[in-house]
Coordinates of all heavy atoms in Angstrom, one line a residue:
Q1 N -4.8 8.5 27.9 CA -6.0 8.0 28.6 C -6.0 6.6 29.1 O -6.6 6.2 30.1 CB -7.2 8.2 27.7 CG -7.5 9.5 27.1 CD -8.6 9.5 26.1 OE1 -9.8 9.4 26.5 NE2 -8.3 9.6 24.8
F2 N -5.2 5.7 28.3 CA -5.2 4.3 28.6 C -3.8 3.7 28.6 O -2.9 4.2 28.0 CB -6.1 3.6 27.5 CG -7.5 4.2 27.5 CD1 -7.8 5.0 26.4 CD2 -8.4 3.9 28.4 CE1 -9.1 5.6 26.3 CE2 -9.7 4.4 28.4 CZ -10.0 5.2 27.3
D3 N -3.7 2.6 29.3 CA -2.4 1.9 29.4 C -2.4 0.8 28.4 O -1.3 0.3 28.0 CB -2.2 1.3 30.9 CG -2.3 2.3 31.9 OD1 -1.6 3.4 31.7 OD2 -3.0 2.2 32.9
I4 N -3.6 0.3 28.0 CA -3.7 -0.8 27.0 C -5.0 -0.5 26.2 O -5.9 -0.1 26.7 CB -3.8 -2.2 27.6 CG1 -2.9 -2.5 28.7 CG2 -3.7 -3.3 26.5 CD1 -3.2 -3.8 29.5
V5 N -4.9 -0.9 24.9 CA -6.2 -0.8 24.1 C -6.3 -2.2 23.6 O -5.4 -2.8 22.9 CB -6.1 0.2 22.9 CG1 -7.3 0.1 22.1 CG2 -6.0 1.6 23.5
V6 N -7.5 -2.9 23.7 CA -7.8 -4.2 23.2 C -8.7 -4.0 21.9 O -9.8 -3.5 22.0 CB -8.5 -5.0 24.3 CG1 -8.9 -6.4 23.7 CG2 -7.7 -5.1 25.5
D7 N -8.2 -4.5 20.8 CA -8.8 -4.5 19.5 C -9.6 -5.7 19.3 O -9.1 -6.8 19.0 CB -7.7 -4.4 18.4 CG -8.3 -4.7 17.1 OD1 -9.5 -4.7 16.9 OD2 -7.4 -5.1 16.2
S8 N -10.9 -5.7 19.7 CA -11.8 -6.8 19.4 C -12.9 -6.3 18.5 O -14.1 -6.5 18.7 CB -12.4 -7.3 20.7 OG -13.1 -6.3 21.4
I9 N -12.5 -5.7 17.4 CA -13.5 -5.0 16.5 C -13.9 -6.0 15.5 O -15.1 -6.3 15.4 CB -12.8 -3.8 15.8 CG1 -12.3 -2.8 16.8 CG2 -13.9 -3.1 14.9 CD1 -11.6 -1.7 16.2
F10 N -13.0 -6.5 14.7 CA -13.4 -7.5 13.6 C -12.7 -8.8 13.7 O -11.5 -8.8 14.0 CB -13.0 -6.8 12.2 CG -13.6 -5.5 12.0 CD1 -12.8 -4.4 11.7 CD2 -14.9 -5.3 12.1 CE1 -13.4 -3.1 11.5 CE2 -15.6 -4.0 11.9 CZ -14.7 -2.9 11.6
G11 N -13.4 -9.9 13.4 CA -12.8 -11.2 13.5 C -12.3 -11.7 12.2 O -12.2 -11.0 11.2
F12 N -12.2 -13.0 12.1 CA -11.6 -13.6 10.9 C -12.6 -13.6 9.7 O -12.2 -13.8 8.6 CB -11.1 -15.1 11.1 CG -12.2 -16.1 11.6 CD1 -13.0 -16.6 10.6 CD2 -12.3 -16.5 12.9 CE1 -14.0 -17.5 11.0 CE2 -13.3 -17.4 13.2 CZ -14.2 -17.9 12.3
G13 N -13.9 -13.3 10.0 CA -14.8 -13.3 8.9 C -15.0 -12.0 8.2 O -15.7 -11.8 7.3
F14 N -14.3 -10.9 8.7 CA -14.5 -9.6 8.2 C -13.8 -9.4 6.9 O -12.6 -9.8 6.7 CB -14.1 -8.6 9.2 CG -14.2 -7.2 8.8 CD1 -15.4 -6.5 8.8 CD2 -13.2 -6.4 8.2 CE1 -15.7 -5.2 8.4 CE2 -13.3 -5.1 7.8 CZ -14.5 -4.5 7.8
T15 N -14.5 -8.7 6.0 CA -13.8 -8.3 4.8 C -14.2 -6.8 4.4 O -15.2 -6.3 4.9 CB -14.2 -9.2 3.5 OG1 -15.6 -9.2 3.4 CG2 -13.7 -10.6 3.7
G16 N -13.4 -6.2 3.6 CA -13.7 -4.8 3.3 C -13.0 -3.8 4.1 O -12.2 -4.1 5.0
A17 N -13.4 -2.5 4.0 CA -12.7 -1.4 4.7 C -13.6 -1.1 5.9 O -14.8 -1.2 5.9 CB -12.6 -0.2 3.8
P18 N -12.8 -0.8 7.1 CA -13.7 -0.4 8.3 C -14.5 0.9 8.0 O -14.0 1.8 7.4 CB -12.5 -0.1 9.3 CG -11.3 -0.8 8.8 CD -11.4 -0.8 7.3
R19 N -15.6 0.8 8.6 CA -16.6 2.0 8.4 C -16.6 2.8 9.7 O -16.3 2.2 10.8 CB -17.9 1.5 8.0 CG -18.0 0.9 6.6 CD -19.4 0.5 6.2 NE -20.0 -0.6 7.1 CZ -19.7 -1.9 6.8 NH1 -19.1 -2.3 5.8 NH2 -20.3 -2.8 7.6
P20 N -17.2 4.0 9.7 CA -17.3 4.8 10.9 C -18.2 4.1 11.9 O -19.1 3.4 11.5 CB -18.0 6.1 10.4 CG -17.6 6.2 8.9 CD -17.6 4.8 8.5
P21 N -17.9 4.3 13.2 CA -16.8 5.1 13.8 C -15.5 4.3 14.0 O -14.5 4.8 14.5 CB -17.4 5.6 15.1 CG -18.2 4.4 15.6 CD -18.8 3.8 14.3
F22 N -15.5 3.1 13.5 CA -14.4 2.2 13.8 C -13.1 2.7 13.0 O -12.0 2.6 13.5 CB -14.6 0.8 13.5 CG -15.7 0.2 14.4 CD1 -16.9 -0.2 13.9 CD2 -15.5 0.0 15.7 CE1 -17.9 -0.8 14.6 CE2 -16.4 -0.5 16.6 CZ -17.7 -0.9 16.0
D23 N -13.3 3.3 11.8 CA -12.2 3.8 11.1 C -11.4 4.8 11.8 O -10.2 4.9 11.8 CB -12.7 4.3 9.7 CG -13.7 5.4 9.8 OD1 -14.3 5.6 10.9 OD2 -13.9 6.1 8.8
K24 N -12.1 5.7 12.5 CA -11.5 6.7 13.3 C -10.7 6.2 14.5 O -9.5 6.7 14.6 CB -12.5 7.8 13.8 CG -13.3 8.5 12.7 CD -14.4 9.3 13.3 CE -15.1 10.0 12.2 NZ -16.3 10.9 12.7
I25 N -11.2 5.3 15.2 CA -10.4 4.8 16.3 C -9.3 3.9 15.9 O -8.2 3.9 16.5 CB -11.4 4.1 17.3 CG1 -10.6 4.0 18.7 CG2 -11.8 2.7 16.9 CD1 -11.5 3.7 19.9
I26 N -9.4 3.2 14.7 CA -8.4 2.4 14.2 C -7.2 3.3 13.8 O -6.0 3.0 14.1 CB -8.8 1.6 13.0 CG1 -9.7 0.4 13.5 CG2 -7.6 1.0 12.2 CD1 -10.3 -0.5 12.4
E27 N -7.5 4.5 13.3 CA -6.4 5.4 13.0 C -5.7 5.9 14.3 O -4.4 6.0 14.2 CB -7.0 6.7 12.3 CG -7.4 6.5 10.8 CD -6.2 6.1 9.9 OE1 -5.1 6.7 10.1 OE2 -6.4 5.2 9.1
M28 N -6.4 6.0 15.3 CA -5.8 6.4 16.6 C -4.9 5.3 17.2 O -4.1 5.5 18.0 CB -6.9 6.8 17.6 CG -7.7 8.0 17.3 SD -8.9 8.4 18.5 CE -7.9 9.0 19.9
M29 N -5.1 4.0 16.7 CA -4.4 2.9 17.2 C -3.2 2.5 16.4 O -2.4 1.7 16.8 CB -5.4 1.7 17.3 CG -6.5 1.8 18.2 SD -7.9 0.7 18.0 CE -7.2 -0.9 18.1
K30 N -3.0 3.3 15.3 CA -1.9 3.0 14.4 C -0.6 3.5 15.0 O -0.6 4.5 15.8 CB -2.1 3.6 13.0 CG -3.2 2.8 12.2 CD -3.4 3.4 10.8 CE -4.4 2.6 10.0 NZ -4.6 3.1 8.6

């Protein structure tokens, strides 16, 4: 679908595990 994916989800202040729906798309980006 895409030529590039830009990850601007979490910055330097984020801690913990990603929650839905971001966990799903992060898996697709691995």
Side-chain angles (χ1 to χ4, degrees):
Q1 304 176 71
F2 304 103
D3 303 312
I4 315 169
V5 176
V6 178
D7 163 25
S8 61
I9 305 174
F10 305 125
F12 63 77
F14 180 80
T15 57
R19 294 184 294 273
F22 295 114
D23 58 345
K24 297 177 182 178
I25 198 161
I26 287 175
E27 286 297 320
M28 296 180 70
M29 295 160 62
K30 290 182 177 180

